[in-house]
Amino acid sequence: MAKINNIHFNNFRNFTNYKISFEKKLNILIGENGCGKTNILEGISLNSKGRGIRNSSISNLIKKKENNFLIKNNLEIKNNIFDIEIFTEKKNNKLKKIIMVNEDSSKESIDILNQFISFLIFVPEMERLFQASPSYRRNFIDRLVFSSKNNYNSLINKYKKFLLERIKILQKNVIDNHWLSQIERDISSLGLEIYQLRHSQINLINKNLNILKNDHNFQFNLELAIKDDFFNIDLSFEEYLSYLMDSRSYDKQYGGTKIGPHRSDILGIINNDFDASLLSTGQQKTVVLMILLAQCNYLVNCKDINPILLLDEIGSHLDSNNRQILLDMINRFEIQFFLTGTDKDLFSFVSTKAQFYNIKEL
């Protein structure tokens, strides 16, 4: 089990010098809007690759009028204690996030950290998951893939880099056909891998939702699916590459690549009848909680990964169905939870084992 024992912020967001310790199971942060609850979750999430739950630029993480931030964590993984430091460093005139594990920033140490720490995240915008843009839904699914495959972000970034490189080549007056062909081979290989990982992820969610139906009375049936006119499960590398080559003129004219996983959408089908975009805000929250419950079930029981859950402003729109799913997650899994809300009364349904923190008082 991975857990955060404490965290210490210096010049991070609204915190000048701030330290807080946590319980191993259920931690609930309460306080007025703007007091820093989300900032604490963001700081915790920076222990993994990427830019945290808000995907903010590094410069925005630093307290105003300061030059850098420092976050210190005491992280426990399978009864082993790790001292983690996260800070900013300027390289080539760019700010970069640096992570040190027991004063070691080597790739081997970071790989060990990434192997054992995994986050599942809820943020308030997810209450409109199926009314948001397709890119938001793709990012949502990609976070789930990343929770069990920690090199997935690198795969996505490489794919995006090659897409941009291809368009730059196409729009030049003189085209280097050898280089263009190699780029298109890389795009086809990476695109197929992303397609397959997303397809597998969605199948895993659907499978685990069916497993959980046996002892959980969900409000409705949910099935996720990929919407993509190009992708099918039998799509080959040769087909992908051929399509890219045939679409060069079109892509040059419109300045983008018209096929690939960057064009996919994720559908939520309710009761085999209608799209999840027709659900209310509270019901879309139910869908997201169902997905997180299914992902927890998969990670814990199939991958031996104990994720840390960061659920920001989870207290609103918690009807009986949402409370039931949240309680099921809390009671079913021996994992660490961080919940935020504006008032302690919003969490009156949780067990007395919950530890409350009034951020205003700390």
Side-chain angles (χ1 to χ4, degrees), residues 166-167 170-171 175 180 184 242-258:
R166 177 175 178 265
I167 293 303
L170 287 175
Q171 293 179 336
I175 293 177
L180 177 59
E184 288 178 338
S242 176
Y243 206 101
L244 279 178
M245 293 172 67
D246 291 343
S247 62
R248 285 176 180 176
S249 295
Y250 178 94
D251 292 344
K252 177 181 180 178
Q253 180 179 354
Y254 290 97
T257 304
K258 69 174 181 178

Side-chain angles (χ1 to χ4, degrees), residues 189-227:
S189 176
L190 293 169
L192 270 177
E193 189 173 357
I194 294 167
Y195 269 138
Q196 294 292 346
L197 286 169
R198 285 181 182 166
H199 178 73
S200 176
Q201 177 64 58
I202 283 172
N203 284 344
L204 288 166
I205 293 296
N206 291 336
K207 178 181 177 181
N208 280 272
L209 283 172
N210 282 323
I211 292 170
L212 292 162
K213 280 182 192 175
N214 295 328
D215 56 4
H216 201 299
N217 184 26
F218 290 125
Q219 183 182 4
F220 37 66
N221 291 323
L222 167 68
E223 184 176 0
L224 298 180
I226 293 177
K227 180 184 178 182

Side-chain angles (χ1 to χ4, degrees), residues 35-278:
C35 68
K37 305 184 299 295
T38 304
N39 295 341
I40 293 173
L41 299 194
E42 185 174 33
I44 293 171
S45 70
L46 289 173
N47 280 283
S48 68
K49 289 181 180 178
R51 298 186 298 187
I53 62 173
R54 288 170 167 150
N55 199 32
S56 296
S57 65
I58 299 299
S59 60
N60 287 337
L61 301 176
I62 303 171
K63 187 176 174 65
K64 287 183 178 180
K65 299 182 180 180
E66 301 293 342
N67 296 320
N68 49 56
F69 72 78
L70 170 64
I71 301 173
K72 293 183 179 182
N73 296 276
N74 182 262
L75 180 63
E76 187 173 337
I77 302 174
K78 295 189 175 182
N79 298 318
N80 294 308
I81 302 297
F82 297 88
D83 290 320
I84 313 296
E85 290 191 1
I86 307 164
F87 54 92
T88 49
E89 187 172 280
K90 188 168 278 191
K91 290 187 175 182
N92 299 323
N93 214 32
K94 282 188 176 182
L95 284 171
K96 186 177 180 182
K97 183 184 84 171
I98 305 295
I99 299 179
M100 296 188 71
V101 182
N102 293 335
E103 300 184 345
D104 181 8
S105 61
S106 67
K107 183 179 182 300
E108 291 77 14
S109 292
I110 303 305
D111 286 345
I112 290 172
L113 177 65
N114 290 327
Q115 181 181 351
F116 290 105
I117 192 164
S118 176
F119 293 105
L120 292 179
I121 292 164
F122 174 89
V123 292
E125 304 93 276
M126 290 178 184
E127 293 183 2
R128 292 177 174 81
L129 176 64
F130 292 96
Q131 293 168 344
S133 66
S135 65
Y136 191 87
R137 285 185 287 279
R138 289 194 299 269
N139 290 338
F140 176 79
I141 290 297
D142 286 343
R143 278 186 183 271
L144 299 182
V145 177
F146 178 65
S147 69
S148 63
K149 186 176 177 62
N150 59 55
N151 66 342
Y152 183 66
N153 274 11
S154 298
L155 180 68
I156 292 285
N157 290 336
K158 281 182 184 177
Y159 175 74
K160 291 179 178 178
K161 178 183 175 183
F162 286 135
L163 287 181
L164 291 173
E165 185 67 23
R166 177 175 178 265
I167 293 303
K168 287 179 182 178
I169 294 171
L170 287 175
Q171 293 179 336
K172 287 182 178 178
N173 292 326
V174 179
I175 293 177
D176 183 339
N177 283 300
H178 175 75
W179 181 230
L180 177 59
S181 295
Q182 182 57 53
I183 290 289
E184 288 178 338
R185 293 182 69 84
D186 290 332
I187 290 172
S188 300
S189 176
L190 293 169
L192 270 177
E193 189 173 357
I194 294 167
Y195 269 138
Q196 294 292 346
L197 286 169
R198 285 181 182 166
H199 178 73
S200 176
Q201 177 64 58
I202 283 172
N203 284 344
L204 288 166
I205 293 296
N206 291 336
K207 178 181 177 181
N208 280 272
L209 283 172
N210 282 323
I211 292 170
L212 292 162
K213 280 182 192 175
N214 295 328
D215 56 4
H216 201 299
N217 184 26
F218 290 125
Q219 183 182 4
F220 37 66
N221 291 323
L222 167 68
E223 184 176 0
L224 298 180
I226 293 177
K227 180 184 178 182
D228 191 301
D229 294 335
F230 178 65
F231 173 70
N232 66 76
I233 193 62
D234 297 318
L235 178 66
S236 69
F237 173 83
E238 290 75 18
E239 288 176 297
Y240 201 134
L241 182 59
S242 176
Y243 206 101
L244 279 178
M245 293 172 67
D246 291 343
S247 62
R248 285 176 180 176
S249 295
Y250 178 94
D251 292 344
K252 177 181 180 178
Q253 180 179 354
Y254 290 97
T257 304
K258 69 174 181 178
I259 58 104
H262 62 291
R263 298 292 190 185
S264 298
D265 198 359
I266 310 299
L267 301 180
I269 303 161
I270 305 300
N271 296 334
N272 295 315
D273 185 26
F274 60 92
D275 190 85
S277 62
L278 300 176

